[in-house]
């Protein structure tokens, strides 16, 4: 989470394949990220630069550990059958809306 009590923004860093390739999920965009960004720069005030209003209050507050023996079950491919139908409908509507704009 980046922000304060009045406004904010969620960003997620993930290494989905457990292969050292990190990604930054930010609203509707995804980009590759470095290990440094995903770990060191994602805590406190990052690298100390004040490039945006969010930098001053950036703080990672959730960390997930997965046992190596469970990674295959937890980080498996998701199929449409895994996604509830209501969420599928919402995603389809958002895609149509995004295509309009």
């Amino acid at each position: 989470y980046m922000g304060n009590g009045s406004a904010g923004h969620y960003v997620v860093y993930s290494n989905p394949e457990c292969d050292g390739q990190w990604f930054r999920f930010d609203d509707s965009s995804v980009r590759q990220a470095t290990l440094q960004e995903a770990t060191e720069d994602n805590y406190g005030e990052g690298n100390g630069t004040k490039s945006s209003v969010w930098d001053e209050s950036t703080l990672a507050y959730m960390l997930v550990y997965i046992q190596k023996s469970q990674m295959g079950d937890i980080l498996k491919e998701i199929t449409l059958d895994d996604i509830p139908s209501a969420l599928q409908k919402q995603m389809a509507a958002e895609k149509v809306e995004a295509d309009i704009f």
Side-chain angles (χ1 to χ4, degrees), residues 25-88:
F25 294 80
D26 183 359
D27 285 343
S28 61
S29 66
V30 178
R31 69 168 176 79
Q32 284 191 299
T34 65
L35 176 63
Q36 175 81 27
E37 287 177 283
T39 56
E40 300 298 324
D41 293 350
N42 195 30
Y43 185 80
E45 293 185 14
N47 59 13
T49 64
K50 304 287 188 231
S51 61
S52 78
V53 67
W54 307 116
D55 289 340
E56 295 180 24
S57 57
T58 299
L59 182 62
Y61 69 93
M62 181 177 165
L63 180 62
V64 177
Y65 291 95
I66 301 171
Q67 287 182 331
K68 286 184 179 183
S69 63
Q70 298 296 312
M71 279 196 298
D73 292 328
I74 295 171
L75 300 176
K76 64 182 178 182
E77 290 292 323
I78 296 173
T79 67
L80 282 177
D81 291 336
D82 297 320
I83 302 172
S85 60
L87 184 55
Q88 288 184 38

